[in-house]
Amino acid sequence: MQCLLLCVIILKAVSNPIKGEGIERALSTEKSLIKGSKCSQEDDMLTRKNYKASFCSQLGNMSLPWFSKTSKANVSFGVSSTAYLHCKVHNLGNKTVSWIRKKDFHLLSVGDEVFTTDQRFQVFHIEKAHLWILEIHNSKFIDSGIYECQINTYPQMSNIFRLNILALEAHISEGSILYIEKDTPIDLNCCLKNNFGTIYLKWQKNKYPLDERERNSRGIQVITKWRPWPSTRLLITNSQESDSGIYTCSSENVQPASINIHVFDRVKTFSKDSGQKTDSYSSQTALILLYTFILLK
């Protein structure tokens, strides 16, 4: 095709009245056409290469593992409870998940295997949920810190978690001592000072649990809530003197709170006070009469 094009150009050049100039121009034109054709082919090849490289790069990124952002990065648990860290990894393929304790760079686990002599640490893999769970039994204050969930890619991929182990303390809003008149309601409210997950707070009276049978027989209501934080309410509609005692709000791994309830009968108290006043008045009168009698004698 190029040869045919060259012949046509040369024939046109020969017909040019200026000898030699037509042929030279024709050869120059032919060179530029061939050069342009080559450049166009090279540009096309480069474009295809770039597209292929871009596609391969995107395909490579799509095949890499990735962390789910649904896992909580900052979690808190009460001391002595079981702490959990959830690392959710998608598209793991043939890669491996490891747990690292950041403060001392201790390798805690690789895959399902645990690499620590501390038997409180365990690792669980829930394949269907893509979860790798680091579990710490009987957690201690020293367990607080940064933990890293790593994937052995190049460069290395990691997800950072902060674990807080805190002292849990119950709090009764009515204070430590309360005087209640008979037949009036006793309303006690207990909650945790720190906001945590599901912790079941229970009531005791004089160190004995308020079981369901006793609550039903006395008409005692216990209302438990978990939002916005764990709390429990104890309600006695018509208090009796027998309801006096020490009430304690507590739970496992929680420092308890107690309140001393005194239920009094106003009528009895008034009668007793009146009797004491009468006896005192009579004694004083007798002394005055005796003293007067001695003086007159």
Side-chain angles (χ1 to χ4, degrees):
M1 181 68 182
Q2 290 180 356
C3 293
L4 181 62
L5 179 63
L6 179 60
C7 293
V8 173
I9 293 172
I10 291 172
L11 289 173
K12 287 185 178 181
V14 170
S15 62
N16 195 314
I18 304 175
K19 293 181 180 180
E21 187 176 341
I23 296 173
E24 186 177 351
R25 185 178 298 173
L27 291 172
S28 177
T29 304
E30 188 270 340
K31 288 180 181 178
S32 65
L33 285 171
I34 293 173
K35 184 178 180 181
S37 177
K38 287 183 178 179
C39 290
S40 177
Q41 290 177 4
E42 289 177 358
D43 289 344
D44 185 55
M45 289 176 65
L46 184 61
T47 301
R48 290 182 180 181
K49 285 182 179 179
N50 290 338
Y51 176 78
K52 184 178 180 180
S54 176
F55 177 77
C56 291
S57 176
Q58 292 178 8
L59 187 63
N61 290 335
M62 288 172 62
S63 64
L64 288 174
W66 54 279
F67 293 105
S68 173
K69 298 300 181 183
T70 56
S71 302
K72 291 184 179 180
N74 192 342
V75 292
S76 299
F77 293 90
V79 66
S80 300
S81 65
T82 301
Y84 301 92
L85 295 177
H86 292 78
C87 184
K88 196 167 188 178
V89 183
H90 294 273
N91 199 33
L92 184 61
N94 61 351
K95 302 301 179 182
T96 306
V97 174
S98 302
W99 281 101
I100 309 293
R101 186 168 57 202
K102 200 69 174 177
K103 66 180 178 181
D104 56 0
F105 297 98
H106 188 95
L107 179 64
L108 298 173
S109 68
V110 176
D112 293 323
E113 295 186 38
V114 177
F115 290 90
T116 176
T117 56
D118 192 339
Q119 296 182 357
R120 299 181 303 119
F121 287 82
Q122 292 184 353
V123 172
F124 297 97
H125 178 211
I126 305 176
E127 188 173 356
K128 291 184 178 180
H130 311 288
L131 273 177
W132 293 85
I133 303 172
L134 178 64
E135 186 175 283
I136 308 174
H137 295 274
N138 190 26
S139 59
K140 303 176 181 179
F141 292 119
I142 59 173
D143 295 325
S144 297
I146 303 297
Y147 291 79
E148 194 170 327
C149 176
Q150 293 183 352
I151 305 175
N152 62 334
T153 54
Y154 184 82
Q156 193 176 67
M157 301 176 67
S158 61
N159 201 10
I160 304 298
F161 296 86
R162 176 179 290 277
L163 175 64
N164 308 292
I165 304 298
L166 304 174
L168 298 182
E169 185 179 351
H171 173 70
I172 297 176
S173 58
E174 285 71 29
S176 59
I177 187 167
L178 188 64
Y179 292 91
I180 298 289
E181 186 178 353
K182 180 185 174 183
D183 296 327
T184 59
I186 297 175
D187 193 354
L188 304 178
N189 294 274
C190 176
C191 65
L192 290 180
K193 285 189 174 181
N194 298 308
N195 188 4
F196 285 91
T198 304
I199 295 179
Y200 185 69
L201 295 169
K202 297 173 289 186
W203 288 100
Q204 293 179 337
K205 178 188 175 185
N206 297 328
K207 298 184 179 180
Y208 290 96
L210 284 172
D211 56 23
E212 187 175 357
R213 181 178 179 181
E214 184 177 355
R215 293 202 304 265
N216 292 337
S217 63
R218 287 285 298 109
I220 301 173
Q221 298 181 50
V222 174
I223 304 168
T224 302
K225 294 182 179 180
W226 287 274
R227 294 183 180 180
W229 51 77
S231 63
T232 181
R233 179 186 179 191
L234 187 146
L235 179 62
I236 303 175
T237 307
N238 296 309
S239 61
Q240 303 297 318
E241 291 181 86
S242 59
D243 293 321
S244 297
I246 298 176
Y247 290 79
T248 302
C249 170
S250 65
S251 185
E252 186 179 1
N253 305 318
V254 173
Q255 184 176 343
S258 297
I259 183 171
N260 198 345
I261 302 292
H262 297 274
V263 180
F264 63 90
D265 189 332
R266 180 181 292 273
V267 176
K268 288 183 180 179
T269 303
F270 180 77
S271 300
K272 186 177 180 181
D273 290 343
S274 299
Q276 288 177 349
K277 289 180 180 179
T278 302
D279 293 341
S280 176
Y281 178 78
S282 301
S283 300
Q284 291 176 0
T285 303
L287 287 173
I288 293 171
L289 290 174
L290 179 60
Y291 182 71
T292 304
F293 176 77
I294 293 173
L295 289 176
L296 290 175
K297 189 175 180 181

